[in-house]
Amino acid sequence: MKTHLFESLILHPEASGLEMSLKHFHVEFDAERRAWITFDMAGSAANVWNEITLREFNRALDRVAHEAGVRALILRSAKERVFIAGADLKAVRHATVKKLEELIDLGQATFNRLAALPFPKVALIHGACVGGGLELALACDVRIVTDSEHTRLGLPETQIGLIPAWGGSTRLPKLIGLAKALELIVTGRLLKPSQAKRIGLIQDVVAREHLEAVAKAATTRSMPKAWWMDRLCASFLGNRVKASVQGKIRGLYPAPLRAVDVVTRAPFTSISKAMELEKHAILDLALSPETARLIDFFFRKEDATKKAWPVGVALQVQDVSVVGAGIMGSGIAHWIAAHGKRVLLQDISTESLAKGMGRVSGLLNEGLQRRAISSRERRDTLDRLSLEHDRVPLTHQQLIIEAATEDMSVKKKIFADLAARSGPDTILATNTSALSVTELADTVPHPERVIGLHFFNPVHRMPLVEVIATKHTSDDVIATMVSFVQKLGKVPVVVKDSPGFIVNRILVPYLMEAVHLNESGVPADLIDEAMLDYGMPMGPLRLLDEIGLDVAAHVGKTLEAAFPHRFAETMLIQKLMEAGRLGKKTGEGFYSYPEPKTKKPSWSEADHHLMERIRERLGGLLFEEARRVSDEGIARCDSDIELAMTLGTGFPVFRPLTSPVLS
């Protein structure tokens, strides 16, 4: 009864204020009796749903409903890069229980009302259409999207500890089938237009200039999937997805499992019961401390991705040279070229250049195979990439990134050569993971243009870039590099020059202690299992195998020299290296690769007690080193330390790294 009364208040014009002016929406009617509603949120670069915009959208629907002879309703956005960016998360984060329930009720009633209108509803989507934006589109009959690189569609709510609760958990399975809907909702993955069309989420992909013309002819409604098969398979699919999710999140993040429960039940019941299932789930989740941490982390990441450096002038960078065609150099060159910059990849060895180019081609072919990029994007990336092994002038390059081996003497020689070949304003950056950027800067003229850009391996997957500023580095150079990293789609975290910076400084003591435990007789898989239960995406010894024991040893020696007697003493890594066991790249390290298929160990009660002590010990080391980083002022603030560790190592968001939460 409450829901029906609430919806009636929205649907009646005398209750919703039909004659009130609209601030965020424009309503028009064309000669063919089509209604056009344009969402243009005043004072914002993006459209978002909150109580104000939802109520005003209802007033826009009132005008459409009271216009005689309307044949179709077309919804569009006036924003350049965003259709609708979902719900206003700040409103959700700080809402009381009552306010949050009212917001969920309002959104559900609004989109149910839209879906029930007796004529075709068409969503014209250009730019980001996520969360509540896609839930609006799902309430329409037709979805047409642009082929823009800015257009993405998805329901990422589980990534911030929530579930789609304005009808998305109910309508998406009905449109594309239960299996595909579960995969999208549980992972929160965003789709490119071509991917969305392939799974039946949208009807058409067109150039932006053709969007409105196509919309005028769009009257075909979406056809529901064959429901009898999904009904039969719902329990099986739900259990299979739950098992997979549980293996990854280990019960530490409740939203994906709750999403499975709702998505496998809601589509097969009445719309009112389905909405109740969605609402109860999101209310439970939204008020949890895990979700609060996830939303706060989302805001920090968004700020780092978008906000300009507060001082200095950020210059445009279009021409970049990468020195060193190894794994890191080729990975950096690939990523920069893929993001529209011209890249000169340099190495003194033609063989190294050939191998580097082979790695770039491999990454592009992999992306093509996964349909993450198009053939045109692959071609354009290769066209922007050129190779050079001679000492050519670099005066026209705005930025040079050195990505040679982690050896200070080698880097100093390279920097001296680069300074001689480049202009006085050319920014010289090093991709070192632990060495002193200041020591490099002191060897060249104009040290104010020297900076560190620590990309993480693999470059195409890791979102973090540590931007290392020395005492010499100018504000303009810092601002330029922050902007440059942001344009690459990465997250910059600015840190002071100090051995290991943030991530390796905190991570190395943790890794060395794990090695010490293994050398003392604790099995590698038990150590790794303990830290998976802690929330790390990979155990410390398996991570060392991925990094390469030689690389880890080099970073460890740098930090040991800077902070003597800080780390656990162990000879195990040296012994493994002497035996040629460098990790995954040589087929053997702490584990053997490819790994044999063996049954998962059955841990005893004593094993679990030992794992608990391991979590306390290793988690405590992470916290202890993070506190030192904070006290030494290496990061601007504690939230930057947590941001860097989460993006650089997968440190669990729900654990405050700068306060001792170890359980």
Side-chain angles (χ1 to χ4, degrees):
M1 177 64 72
K2 177 184 173 183
T3 302
H4 291 310
L5 176 60
F6 180 76
E7 290 187 1
S8 70
L9 289 173
I10 292 179
L11 293 169
H12 283 85
E14 62 272 20
S16 58
L18 179 61
E19 299 305 321
M20 292 178 66
S21 63
L22 300 178
K23 181 179 180 181
H24 305 292
F25 295 88
H26 308 289
V27 182
E28 304 167 82
F29 301 92
D30 63 25
E32 285 75 36
R33 307 308 302 155
R34 285 181 291 259
W36 298 74
I37 296 181
T38 305
F39 194 174
D40 189 8
M41 191 170 182
S44 173
N47 296 321
V48 296
W49 292 121
N50 53 33
E51 183 179 1
I52 293 171
T53 54
L54 282 168
R55 292 197 182 282
E56 190 173 302
F57 180 62
N58 272 285
R59 295 204 298 275
L61 291 180
D62 287 338
R63 294 188 182 181
V64 174
H66 284 76
E67 183 76 15
V70 173
R71 294 174 50 234
L73 170 60
I74 300 172
L75 303 173
R76 59 187 174 182
S77 163
K79 304 300 184 185
E80 277 301 309
R81 296 190 175 189
V82 178
F83 176 67
I84 302 172
D88 182 348
L89 283 180
K90 290 182 180 176
V92 172
R93 172 69 175 86
H94 300 292
T96 63
V97 177
K98 182 180 178 182
K99 268 296 192 185
L100 185 58
E101 185 173 8
E102 289 175 353
L103 184 64
I104 295 164
D105 282 338
L106 177 59
Q108 288 183 347
T110 300
F111 296 164
N112 288 344
R113 177 189 183 187
L114 174 65
L117 290 174
F119 38 74
K121 285 81 63 181
V122 182
L124 300 188
I125 300 168
H126 170 71
C129 176
V130 296
L134 184 56
E135 288 182 291
L136 171 89
L138 289 170
C140 295
D141 304 296
V142 181
R143 286 155 296 280
I144 302 169
V145 309
T146 67
D147 57 5
S148 167
E149 62 179 10
H150 304 302
T151 300
R152 294 290 185 272
L153 300 96
L155 296 171
E157 284 87 344
T158 58
Q159 301 302 297
I160 51 172
L162 304 171
I163 72 162
W166 283 338
S169 296
T170 303
R171 292 189 175 98
L172 185 64
K174 291 182 178 181
L175 179 65
I176 66 173
L178 185 59
K180 293 175 182 175
L182 276 169
E183 193 271 332
L184 282 181
I185 291 173
V186 168
T187 65
R189 187 163 66 99
L190 300 185
L191 300 178
K192 289 185 173 183
S194 58
Q195 295 169 319
K197 185 176 181 181
R198 195 175 303 118
I199 66 169
L201 178 58
I202 62 174
Q203 277 78 359
D204 209 351
V205 181
V206 301
R208 188 180 184 186
E209 57 267 25
H210 299 149
L211 199 58
E212 293 182 4
V214 173
K216 292 177 180 179
T219 56
T220 304
R221 301 192 179 202
S222 305
M223 296 300 294
K225 297 292 179 184
W227 270 109
W228 64 271
M229 183 61 74
D230 274 353
R231 283 178 182 273
L232 289 176
C233 296
S235 179
F236 168 76
L237 282 172
N239 289 334
R240 189 177 70 177
V241 173
K242 272 188 176 180
S244 174
V245 169
Q246 187 64 36
K248 295 175 182 176
I249 65 172
R250 296 175 174 251
L252 299 172
Y253 298 94
L257 293 175
R258 195 64 185 271
V260 175
D261 287 334
V262 174
V263 174
T264 53
R265 293 173 60 200
F268 306 108
T269 186
S270 66
I271 191 68
S272 60
K273 289 182 179 178
M275 296 299 108
E276 284 296 309
L277 288 170
E278 291 188 359
K279 181 171 78 171
H280 289 156
I282 198 171
L283 284 175
D284 289 345
L285 292 167
L287 301 172
S288 69
E290 293 88 354
T291 296
R293 291 278 301 170
L294 285 165
I295 293 176
D296 288 344
F297 176 79
F298 172 82
F299 288 139
R300 291 201 298 271
K301 184 180 175 184
E302 285 288 292
D303 282 348
T305 304
K306 295 176 180 177
K307 281 191 175 180
W309 187 247
V311 289
V313 178
L315 304 176
Q316 292 295 317
V317 174
Q318 193 58 41
D319 293 286
V320 181
S321 184
V322 177
V323 179
I327 291 174
M328 287 305 298
S330 58
I332 293 169
H334 154 256
W335 192 258
I336 295 174
H339 284 75
K341 312 296 183 184
R342 292 183 292 271
V343 180
L344 176 65
L345 180 59
Q346 299 181 86
D347 203 295
I348 58 173
S349 164
T350 55
E351 182 182 355
S352 296
L353 283 172
K355 288 181 179 178
M357 198 61 195
R359 280 187 284 268
V360 172
S361 296
L363 290 169
L364 292 170
N365 291 339
E366 180 191 338
L368 195 62
Q369 191 172 17
R370 290 187 294 107
R371 296 177 175 174
I373 63 172
S374 65
S375 297
R376 179 179 178 180
E377 288 171 320
R378 179 186 183 279
R379 184 185 68 245
D380 289 347
T381 298
L382 291 173
D383 286 346
R384 286 189 288 266
L385 188 58
S386 56
L387 309 178
E388 184 56 69
H389 70 277
D390 287 332
R391 291 185 70 256
V392 297
L394 299 173
T395 52
H396 67 288
Q397 300 287 344
Q398 298 156 298
L399 168 65
I400 303 173
I401 302 174
E402 170 272 315
T405 184
E406 284 285 277
D407 184 305
M408 180 59 81
S409 62
V410 172
K411 288 182 181 292
K412 284 182 177 180
K413 289 178 183 177
I414 292 173
F415 259 63
D417 176 61
L418 294 176
R421 289 194 283 147
S422 62
D425 295 326
T426 302
I427 297 173
L428 300 180
T430 175
N431 183 54
T432 180
S433 56
L435 297 177
S436 171
V437 182
T438 302
E439 189 174 338
L440 274 176
D442 287 338
T443 65
V444 299
H446 307 289
E448 69 279 359
R449 43 77 176 266
V450 175
I451 197 165
L453 288 182
H454 180 206
F455 289 82
F456 288 73
N457 188 34
V459 176
H460 64 290
R461 290 182 183 163
M462 299 296 286
L464 176 68
V465 177
E466 288 179 312
V467 179
I468 302 104
T470 76
K471 60 185 178 181
H472 306 298
T473 311
S474 74
D475 290 331
D476 288 352
V477 169
I478 298 173
T480 299
M481 289 300 92
V482 167
S483 174
F484 173 72
V485 170
Q486 290 170 336
K487 286 181 171 66
L488 296 181
K490 301 288 187 184
V491 183
V493 174
V494 178
V495 302
K496 289 182 181 178
D497 185 25
S498 178
F501 317 127
I502 293 177
V503 173
N504 283 332
R505 166 76 182 273
I506 296 171
L507 194 63
V508 168
Y510 158 83
L511 295 176
M512 292 303 103
E513 181 64 22
V515 174
H516 175 68
L517 290 171
N518 183 234
E519 192 175 36
S520 303
V522 183
D525 54 353
L526 189 145
I527 296 169
D528 284 347
E529 185 73 15
M531 296 316 293
L532 288 173
D533 284 342
Y534 181 84
M536 300 297 281
M538 185 180 291
L541 300 178
R542 191 174 297 280
L543 177 59
L544 281 166
D545 274 358
E546 290 285 337
I547 294 170
L549 302 192
D550 53 339
V551 175
H554 196 285
V555 174
K557 286 178 182 177
T558 301
L559 290 175
E560 176 64 30
F563 308 106
H565 313 300
R566 178 75 60 80
F567 310 133
E569 293 186 10
T570 173
M571 292 300 295
L572 181 54
I573 287 184
Q574 187 62 36
K575 290 177 182 177
L576 291 172
M577 289 169 58
E578 289 172 357
R581 296 169 61 177
L582 304 184
K584 197 170 184 179
K585 61 187 174 185
T586 60
E588 279 193 294
F590 289 97
Y591 298 91
S592 296
Y593 304 90
E595 294 184 72
K597 292 183 178 180
T598 57
K599 189 176 180 181
K600 188 176 180 181
S602 179
W603 306 109
S604 66
E605 186 175 345
D607 290 333
H608 284 292
H609 284 307
L610 179 55
M611 286 184 197
E612 186 175 350
R613 293 200 299 274
I614 290 169
R615 286 192 291 272
E616 289 175 355
R617 176 60 182 154
L618 296 185
L621 281 175
L622 290 168
F623 165 73
E624 185 179 332
E625 205 62 37
R627 180 182 55 77
R628 288 192 177 106
V629 169
S630 175
D631 291 345
E632 293 170 22
I634 293 168
R636 287 189 301 165
C637 56
D638 286 354
S639 64
D640 274 1
I641 298 173
E642 293 185 344
L643 183 65
M645 284 298 292
T646 298
L647 297 178
T649 72
F651 186 85
V653 174
F654 64 87
R655 295 188 187 277
L657 184 57
T658 48
S659 61
V661 180
L662 305 177
S663 61

